[in-house]
Amino acid sequence: MTTATDLRVMDGNKAAAMGVLLCRPDLVASYPISPQTPLLEALYRASAEGRLDAETVEVEGENSALSAAIGAVAAGGRAFTATSSMGLMFMYDAYLFAAGQRVPVVMTVATREQTAPHTVSSGQQDIMMVKEGGWIQIVTESCQEILDSILVAYRLAEDPKIQLPVNVAYDGYYLSHLSEAVRVPEQAAVDRFLAPVGQGKRPVLSAAAPLTFGAFITGDLYTEYRYKHCQALQSALDLVDALDGEFLAAFGREYGGSVETYRAEDAEILMVGMGSHCGTLQVAVDALRAQGVSVGVARLRMFRPFPRARLAALMRGRKAVGVLDRSVCFGWGSGHLFVDVKAAAADLGGAIPMVNFIGGLAGADLRREMLERAVRATAARARGDQGPEVVWLNLE
Amino acid sequence: MQFHSPFEGAWADPETIHTILTGEWRLQRPVTREARCSHCGLCFLFCPNGCVRDRGRHFEADLDFCKGCGLCARVCPVAAVVMVEEEGA
């Protein structure tokens, strides 16, 4: 059951570094960019002090960082890299290659807005820009969950049936730079948790048994690899739910797999969100519950693959659904999460009143009273009130 | 569902690799007139596809892979290589 843990206070970048160290990577290659840089500094310090037995590659940019990680993984190793915002965009071709070639890299993204307008502040636009890239995307709410999700990420990535790269995303500054209490698991327990994956469980480059890697493919064979990629990605939904139970048994913590709920069982109103502000949302829900508003939260932990069936089941019978977005989906005029949640709601047949709240862009505050307002606005739609489909919280 | 690869992604065993015969793209083929060939090897060095083979006393293109670019004929100092139109299917 629960193993001995070390309770410490650390920010999200340190928690991520701690998670990476516990997974014993063979290679770390990364390029500094706010707000993930302190994570890199922590890993390179660990390497300098002999606490990280890994190749640490100093690269000239993010494209090379991910490419170095891809090479290490193809050669049978475990690799880690990290980035944010424009750095993620700069590694876009390597990003697509890693997924299409089925290279199980793990990369954290300390989320940040995209330029322009220029900013380095928090937002989830960067991970949304790559959501169709074929990676698994996990989005976390707390520093503890960052550390824990990195352990799960390697289990998902290196699973022989999946063999896909995984992003573990955490809100820049709100998580990357703010400190919380974090339980650090014992190394032996992490080793046991990761034992089912690792070397020898997937094809590797080796002079003794040569294989080609990344060959030119056309037509039917290309279609076959696309089909296999789609199947593997979708299968991560079941595996992440199963791993949640295994994680609970090993470390005494659980997160609900692909979706975590809060006071949702009997709720007439369901609020859907993703990331650190879901903690604030829970406080808002508690306050409104005390005033008789029947509301609960469904927090998506996995955005790709999208937990369509679980979310549809959670929305069934609700009187209204409110969706919080910290990114903008150009072309729909809403947030990205809203588009996907609406698509999942269509599986239910009947129309549920739905309203989208965009907020928290470029570090704009999502305060408790704003989220309470969002819940009340959603409750008003349940009563038949009319209003805009998309509400911009910070402009009200 | 019918699969052709035992791998999840574009990995392949070199023994069973799915090979594309680029020679199928060719509109003209190089023909080496053996008697004229001085065996200097310039065509071998210049071939961008790396498909010119040394046949001992002369060089000639491997037509499975030769795309018919004509560079071998262009660089041949004794005009031993001539390009001939491909005809038929």
Side-chain angles (χ1 to χ4, degrees):
Chain A
M1 191 41 211
T2 311
T3 58
T5 51
D6 187 4
L7 185 63
R8 301 189 212 172
V9 174
M10 63 181 80
D11 63 26
N13 280 325
K14 291 275 165 48
M18 197 60 72
V20 174
L21 291 175
L22 286 164
C23 292
R24 303 183 190 268
D26 299 295
L27 176 135
V28 173
S30 193
Y31 191 78
I33 184 169
S34 290
Q36 67 87 10
T37 308
L39 157 61
L40 267 195
E41 291 170 347
L43 289 177
Y44 285 122
R45 175 181 289 273
S47 174
E49 293 174 356
R51 291 180 286 116
L52 170 62
D53 181 21
E55 293 276 340
T56 51
V57 186
E58 289 178 34
V59 289
E60 81 289 2
E62 286 84 355
N63 197 293
S64 299
L66 183 51
S67 297
I70 288 169
V73 173
R78 177 172 289 164
F80 176 79
T81 185
T83 193
S84 296
S85 187
M86 308 310 278
L88 183 57
M89 302 306 110
F90 188 48
M91 60 170 63
Y92 191 52
D93 63 325
Y95 190 90
L96 298 182
F97 181 89
Q101 186 61 32
R102 310 290 296 277
V103 179
V105 178
V106 170
M107 173 166 72
T108 53
V109 180
T111 61
R112 172 183 143 179
E113 287 292 351
Q114 292 297 136
T115 299
H118 183 60
T119 185
V120 297
S121 300
S122 187
Q124 293 177 344
Q125 192 77 23
D126 52 4
I127 51 169
M128 292 299 156
M129 295 290 95
V130 297
K131 67 189 167 71
E132 259 68 79
W135 285 51
I136 292 168
Q137 290 183 315
I138 296 170
V139 184
T140 58
E141 186 196 312
S142 67
C143 295
Q144 180 73 64
E145 193 183 358
I146 298 168
L147 187 157
D148 293 346
S149 296
I150 289 170
L151 276 46
V152 172
Y154 279 108
R155 275 294 298 270
L156 284 169
E158 295 178 2
D159 187 281
K161 291 196 183 72
I162 293 190
Q163 292 179 44
L164 280 171
V166 180
N167 279 151
V168 176
Y170 51 97
D171 290 317
Y173 302 104
Y174 291 108
L175 289 176
S176 68
H177 284 65
L178 293 186
S179 295
E180 297 179 330
V182 174
R183 291 190 183 279
V184 180
E186 279 189 336
Q187 182 66 61
V190 176
D191 290 346
R192 281 195 299 277
F193 182 71
L194 292 178
V197 296
Q199 283 206 332
K201 308 287 197 317
R202 54 190 163 82
V204 295
L205 294 176
S206 154
L211 291 173
T212 67
F213 174 75
F216 182 93
I217 305 285
T218 57
D220 291 351
L221 195 55
Y222 188 95
T223 310
E224 175 179 328
Y225 289 136
R226 277 290 190 254
Y227 175 83
K228 287 176 169 175
H229 186 163
C230 280
Q231 296 299 111
L233 191 57
Q234 295 310 119
S235 73
L237 287 169
D238 284 341
L239 185 56
V240 78
D241 288 348
L243 286 174
D244 202 54
E246 203 177 314
F247 195 90
L248 174 66
F251 304 106
R253 289 183 294 279
E254 61 183 329
Y255 295 98
S258 57
V259 188
E260 186 179 60
T261 57
Y262 182 73
R263 302 187 78 166
E265 257 174 47
D266 62 338
E268 293 177 355
I269 308 300
L270 189 70
M271 301 300 289
V272 181
M274 198 163 64
S276 60
H277 51 278
C278 289
T280 316
L281 187 57
Q282 289 186 5
V283 179
V285 163
D286 286 344
L288 288 166
R289 280 267 183 180
Q291 297 166 30
V293 182
S294 176
V295 57
V297 179
R299 177 174 71 90
L300 268 70
R301 295 190 61 241
M302 190 172 250
F303 186 62
R304 285 293 180 268
F306 194 78
R308 168 180 169 173
R310 276 193 65 187
L311 193 63
L314 279 167
M315 288 191 285
R316 186 180 297 281
R318 309 291 179 185
K319 291 185 176 169
V321 172
V323 182
L324 289 161
D325 267 293
R326 292 190 60 202
S327 68
V328 172
C329 179
F330 293 112
W332 276 101
S334 68
H336 290 99
L337 188 50
F338 187 62
V339 175
D340 284 15
V341 175
K342 273 191 98 169
D347 290 347
L348 299 173
I352 302 175
M354 296 183 74
V355 55
N356 188 200
F357 301 95
I358 291 177
L361 305 186
D365 266 344
L366 276 177
R367 295 187 303 277
R368 171 186 146 182
E369 58 269 26
M370 296 167 72
L371 298 179
E372 286 182 15
R373 209 164 66 227
V375 174
R376 288 188 190 284
T378 308
R381 302 298 168 92
R383 294 192 299 269
D385 285 11
Q386 300 298 306
E389 186 176 55
V390 182
V391 176
W392 294 65
L393 287 173
N394 299 97
L395 300 182
E396 283 200 309
Chain B
M1 207 63 70
Q2 209 174 1
F3 293 147
H4 301 283
S5 167
F7 293 98
E8 284 289 312
W11 292 78
D13 182 334
E15 299 299 318
T16 59
I17 188 169
H18 175 73
T19 306
I20 293 161
L21 298 179
T22 51
E24 291 173 1
W25 308 350
R26 192 175 55 242
L27 298 178
Q28 292 185 319
R29 74 174 177 278
V31 174
T32 306
R33 293 179 287 186
E34 296 177 28
R36 291 187 73 123
C37 177
S38 64
H39 203 230
C40 70
L42 273 182
C43 56
F44 176 87
L45 291 173
F46 274 83
C47 176
N49 236 25
C51 69
V52 171
R53 309 285 179 243
D54 187 349
R55 301 299 185 201
R57 289 168 179 257
H58 72 285
F59 286 90
E60 67 180 8
D62 180 341
L63 294 179
D64 278 346
F65 299 102
C66 168
K67 298 174 187 168
C69 73
L71 199 58
C72 51
R74 178 93 172 125
V75 299
C76 180
V78 294
V81 183
V82 292
M83 299 304 292
V84 177
E85 291 292 319
E86 293 286 3
E87 288 174 21

